Amino acid sequence: EQKNMNWKYLGILFLLGVGLLSVTASFQNSPGYMDAEYYAAIARRIYEGKGFTEPFVWNYLGGYKLIPQPAFQYWKPLPSLVAVLSMSILQSRSFQAARVLFIVTASMAPLITALFSYQLTRDQKKAFLSGLFACFPAFYLPFLTTTDSFPIYLLGGGLLFFLLNQKHSRIKILLIGFICGLMGL
């Protein structure tokens, strides 16, 4: 019995995840719904140096008086910040550039699933099969290839389960706190 999960299996799962998500992304030309559109719009403004502002009336929850108004009075900023990072890496303000890190993040879900499964069963075939199922997220597929928090929560939640099953240590507690803090954003 091997002590660690086979890296070839993990590579296959990652490539399958990237492939399926890339095919799905090829059919999406825009964020597609309100939350993803908001995150993409604000990311573009931040990337263009216009700050954390909304130049539009998005909702009435903030009790706006002037436009532009401060962004993220209702939604949390992390998805927009991930999109800005992606835009900065690719040097493009396009939606396609904004979502690249979301696709990469979502592609890690099969890896985390396989690692967690292996952690529980110590059976590489079962772990690979678990990761394979995670490559096909059914309902969530179109939400994982746009500028929304789904991929962030998918990876963060998977990492939390993986870490919670690890031996107790201060670093583990620090990582769990860091992940929870990021997911709160």
Side-chain angles (χ1 to χ4, degrees):
E1 179 179 325
Q2 262 185 308
K3 217 172 188 188
N4 294 316
M5 181 72 185
N6 187 326
W7 286 101
K8 285 186 234 175
Y9 288 153
L10 296 175
I12 290 167
L13 291 171
F14 181 74
L15 291 175
L16 278 171
V18 167
L20 179 64
L21 292 167
S22 296
V23 168
T24 302
S26 72
F27 292 102
Q28 296 173 320
N29 296 320
S30 65
Y33 57 97
M34 188 167 58
D35 294 18
E37 190 68 54
Y38 180 85
Y39 292 131
I42 301 304
R44 188 173 295 118
R45 288 187 63 76
I46 295 168
Y47 179 76
E48 292 171 349
K50 296 176 182 169
F52 288 71
T53 60
E54 296 174 7
F56 43 74
V57 177
W58 191 257
N59 62 49
Y60 299 98
L61 299 174
Y64 74 94
K65 297 199 188 308
L66 295 172
I67 294 177
Q69 62 182 353
F72 307 114
Q73 294 183 66
Y74 182 73
W75 279 273
K76 301 293 183 173
L78 187 59
S80 286
L81 296 176
V82 170
V84 169
L85 178 59
S86 190
M87 290 172 168
S88 297
I89 291 169
L90 297 170
Q91 294 295 297
S92 172
R93 64 188 286 278
S94 72
F95 167 65
Q96 287 71 20
R99 67 184 174 166
V100 167
L101 287 179
F102 291 92
I103 292 169
V104 171
T105 300
S107 298
M108 292 181 194
L111 307 180
I112 296 298
T113 302
L115 289 170
F116 183 56
S117 177
Y118 184 73
Q119 203 178 49
L120 295 175
T121 66
R122 293 289 180 217
D123 184 326
Q124 289 203 35
K125 289 180 182 174
K126 288 178 184 173
F128 182 73
L129 185 60
S130 297
L132 199 56
F133 283 131
C135 286
F136 301 96
F139 174 79
Y140 291 100
L141 184 59
F143 300 104
L144 298 177
T145 55
T146 191
T147 51
D148 202 347
S149 57
F150 287 95
I152 297 166
Y153 274 95
L154 188 65
L155 181 60
L159 286 171
L160 285 176
F161 278 112
F162 183 75
L163 287 169
L164 288 170
N165 201 39
Q166 299 287 322
K167 195 170 93 173
H168 181 75
S169 72
R170 290 181 186 187
I171 291 177
K172 171 187 152 178
I173 292 170
L174 183 67
L175 285 172
I176 289 171
F178 180 75
I179 291 167
C180 288
L182 275 179
M183 289 173 68
L185 288 176

